[in-house]
Amino acid sequence: MSLLVVGLSHRSAPVSVLERAALSADAQVKLAQDIVSAEPAAEAAVLATCNRIELYADVDKFHAGVAELSTLLAQHSGVGLEELTPYLYVHYEDRAVHHLFSVACGLDSMVVGEGQILGQIKDALARGQELHTAGRLINDLFQQALRVGKRAHSETGIDRAGQSLVSFGLEQLADGADVAGWVAGQRALVIGAGSMSSLAATTLARLGVRELVIANRTLDRAEKLAASLGALGQGSVRAVPMSAVPEELAHASAVVSCTGATGLVLTAEAVADALAVPEGASAVMVGSVVADGALRAPDGSLVARLAETASRDGRVRVRDLGGRPAEGGDPGCPVGLDEAHTSVTAGDPAQHGVWMENAGGTAVIAPRQAVRHRSGSVRMALLDLAMPRDIDHAVHRVPGVRLVDIESLADASADAPMAVDVDQVRDIVAAEVAAFGAAQRAARITPTVVALRAMAADVVAGELARLDGRVSGLDEKQRGEIQQTVRRVVDKLLHAPTVRVKQLAGEPGGAEYADALRTLFDLDPETVASVSRADMNDRETDAENRGRS
């Protein structure tokens, strides 16, 4: 059996393909189970993050394994095999080990040196153990990858040089400003309470965000996260259900979203509506209509300016949504006809929204401060770390909005300087790959050596039984001395050959030595196989115990 990796990542595929190929948690489970059900694979694990999908399997045939894994990935992702194939990469045996170790060290990440991938590798291993799709090879491989990743971060400066995807995203949102200073003045909304969203919330809290709101479908999880972050004492932290997102969005200046949703969480219309709510207002927006029944004209619209002019004559009372009289209009033409309004027309639904009849009430038109396009002030900064995306890409066309998503992060990271310790980490990876390969090759001969020693023990036991029958009158002390002497002779005869064969087995082509031992000593193949199965069961039990501890 040999290790095979088939996958695609931000390095091989555009974000648009990654987004379509993204796997839900249930799809990952089913995919892992289907892999081990396929003929070429004995064990498997699925590593899926926001910028990679990789299938790891122990296969007995390379070409059959590649074909099967590629087909299954296409089936479960919903992207046709012909379309997916040009973006796939394949690694085999030592190259597959090298790839995972590099991934664990952050060398293959969008942000070189980031440490979040270690948690994602740990989750992939835990899922494989729970599903019993991870056998001896996958367990050994992923556990060693975690150790290699930790070593790289502790022995080199890549840990200091690398950023998390969250930190890198916040840096892009700050657009050149000091990130801590920029965050400190924000009212942030984090949507989701999974690992990435939790990291985002934690990062914002530690940077001293002014106010932090966490929205999640499972409110209890959001509340637990909010309670833990509230203990930091950096600012106001609270949890809300997902149904409260429209209202919270109206008060937020920074939004981070990373959920497992398959559809959009925030549409361009929802963001535009949120920006239309005056600061300090608490009305919930439905389309462009205020929930308290009041009518509102969008900022800068002809209707709003006419209303301001009419209010000066006492014909219409103009108030903002907080109930305060609106400030007077600018001098000049009362309705602003002396300004350029090429992008605003009275019949433009995108500018005016939906109007409702106000039965029997006085029209209350709420003017809003002017919103400039991205080239001007940014009133809402959005960071979308989900795959597939949570936030409609069209929001970048909404005035006053800055959007950073996986696609823009990929572009920005391509220009980012490499950490100075990358070469040192690569040396660590190369050494660890060689050590892992030697250990795996040596491990393959262990069942044969164990079977050889078991056969020798059986021979010794049989001969001692014959001795008891032929020589009478031996007391217990004498019998014990004879048994120890015979066993020491056998152990000494086997010691040097078995130690040497393990050393030789660690070298390329070492599997031939196991074959030679089985042939020379006429070892029962079933005995060797039973030792292998027992060893695998022991390893799986140890791995599960470590996972629970």
Side-chain angles (χ1 to χ4, degrees):
M1 303 297 284
S2 300
L3 180 66
L4 174 66
V5 178
V6 175
L8 70 162
S9 74
H10 64 100
R11 295 187 182 277
S12 69
V15 173
S16 58
V17 174
L18 285 173
E19 185 176 23
R20 292 170 53 212
L23 299 171
S24 66
D26 290 341
Q28 293 175 42
V29 168
K30 187 66 168 62
L31 177 55
Q33 292 172 331
D34 285 352
I35 292 173
V36 295
S37 297
E39 182 179 346
E43 49 183 295
V46 178
L47 177 60
T49 73
C50 60
N51 51 41
R52 76 176 62 249
I53 304 169
E54 294 177 346
L55 312 183
Y56 291 78
D58 187 9
V59 299
D60 57 2
K61 298 175 183 176
F62 172 74
H63 293 292
V66 171
E68 189 66 33
L69 265 61
S70 302
T71 300
L72 288 173
L73 179 56
Q75 289 175 354
H76 287 271
S77 68
V79 180
L81 183 58
E82 290 186 2
E83 182 181 358
L84 196 63
T85 298
Y87 304 112
L88 295 178
Y89 49 78
V90 174
H91 298 294
Y92 192 56
E93 294 190 330
D94 283 353
R95 290 303 306 170
V97 176
H98 188 282
H99 175 72
L100 182 59
F101 286 5
S102 298
V103 169
C105 293
L107 292 179
D108 198 58
S109 296
M110 187 177 293
V111 181
V112 174
E114 60 93 6
Q116 290 170 262
I117 187 64
L118 287 174
Q120 293 161 335
I121 291 173
K122 184 177 180 181
D123 291 342
L125 174 59
R127 184 168 52 247
Q129 292 170 344
E130 181 181 354
L131 297 172
H132 300 289
T133 62
R136 183 188 63 80
L137 178 59
I138 295 297
N139 272 295
D140 288 352
L141 174 69
F142 275 64
Q143 287 168 6
Q144 187 61 26
L146 292 172
R147 287 189 285 267
V148 173
K150 291 175 183 177
R151 179 188 170 193
H153 284 284
S154 63
E155 295 183 13
T156 75
I158 199 169
D159 189 47
R160 297 183 296 274
Q163 300 172 288
S164 70
L165 200 60
V166 170
S167 299
F168 189 55
L170 293 176
E171 183 181 283
Q172 299 304 305
L173 284 184
D175 200 23
D178 175 69
V179 176
W182 179 82
V183 167
Q186 304 299 320
R187 301 172 69 176
L189 170 63
V190 174
I191 304 176
S195 57
M196 187 73 78
S197 295
S198 296
L199 178 61
T202 302
T203 302
L204 290 167
R206 288 177 175 170
L207 289 173
V209 68
R210 178 159 59 102
E211 182 180 349
L212 177 61
V213 178
I214 303 168
N216 194 49
R217 285 184 173 82
T218 305
L219 182 59
D220 180 62
R221 188 168 183 175
E223 289 174 338
K224 289 179 180 178
L225 178 59
S228 65
L229 297 180
L232 297 176
Q234 297 289 335
S236 170
V237 185
R238 55 191 175 87
V240 298
M242 285 293 286
S243 58
V245 166
E247 182 173 2
E248 297 298 338
L249 192 64
H251 305 302
S253 56
V255 180
V256 181
S257 186
C258 187
T259 72
T262 55
L264 293 175
V265 175
L266 293 181
T267 64
E269 181 184 9
V271 173
D273 286 344
L275 288 173
V277 178
E279 187 175 353
S282 60
V284 180
M285 305 305 296
V286 181
S288 296
V289 181
V290 183
D292 61 6
L295 297 179
R296 171 184 55 78
D299 285 346
S301 67
L302 186 61
V303 175
R305 293 179 181 274
L306 285 169
E308 290 177 16
T309 303
S311 70
R312 299 190 194 111
D313 299 331
R315 288 175 287 166
V316 178
R317 291 185 292 109
V318 180
R319 297 179 178 272
D320 67 13
L321 290 182
R324 301 178 298 275
E327 296 180 1
D330 297 330
C333 176
V335 295
L337 294 178
D338 53 347
E339 302 177 10
H341 291 282
T342 57
S343 62
V344 180
T345 62
D348 187 351
Q351 295 294 327
H352 291 281
V354 180
W355 290 85
M356 297 176 65
E357 282 196 47
N358 186 3
T362 305
V364 182
I365 303 172
R368 179 79 163 136
Q369 293 181 352
V371 177
R372 289 180 297 201
H373 288 266
R374 188 177 176 204
S375 58
S377 62
V378 175
R379 291 175 45 213
M380 184 180 292
L382 300 109
L383 177 58
D384 185 358
L385 298 174
M387 184 64 69
R389 70 178 74 242
D390 278 349
I391 303 175
D392 188 352
H393 187 66
V395 302
H396 78 278
R397 294 195 292 268
V398 177
V401 170
R402 174 179 293 139
L403 171 66
V404 172
D405 55 17
I406 293 294
E407 190 167 12
S408 57
L409 287 176
D411 293 339
S413 67
D415 299 327
M418 296 288 282
V420 295
D421 295 271
V422 164
D423 288 340
Q424 187 178 353
V425 174
R426 285 174 176 159
D427 290 341
I428 290 175
V429 169
E432 291 284 357
V433 169
F436 183 82
Q440 288 296 306
R441 287 188 290 270
R444 290 185 185 130
I445 204 170
T446 297
T448 301
V449 172
V450 171
L452 174 61
R453 287 189 171 275
M455 185 193 74
D458 290 342
V459 171
V460 169
E463 291 303 316
L464 288 174
R466 286 182 60 194
L467 180 65
D468 285 339
R470 295 175 61 183
V471 180
S472 60
L474 293 176
D475 58 29
E476 290 299 322
K477 183 177 180 180
Q478 292 171 328
R479 184 179 290 104
E481 286 290 342
I482 293 173
Q483 289 178 349
Q484 287 185 5
T485 299
V486 174
R487 286 172 179 151
R488 277 197 300 267
V489 170
V490 173
D491 287 342
K492 287 182 177 180
L493 285 173
L494 292 179
H495 176 72
T498 54
V499 170
R500 184 60 180 148
V501 79
K502 286 182 178 181
Q503 293 172 344
L504 294 171
E507 299 176 359
E512 296 177 1
Y513 292 97
D515 294 336
L517 274 182
R518 288 192 292 269
T519 301
L520 288 172
F521 289 92
D522 194 23
L523 298 177
D524 183 5
E526 181 56 35
T527 301
V528 177
S530 65
V531 173
S532 299
R533 287 193 296 271
D535 178 62
M536 183 180 298
N537 292 335
D538 290 342
R539 288 169 181 266
E540 289 179 352
T541 301
D542 291 343
E544 290 173 0
N545 290 337
R546 281 193 295 270
R548 287 192 291 267
S549 61

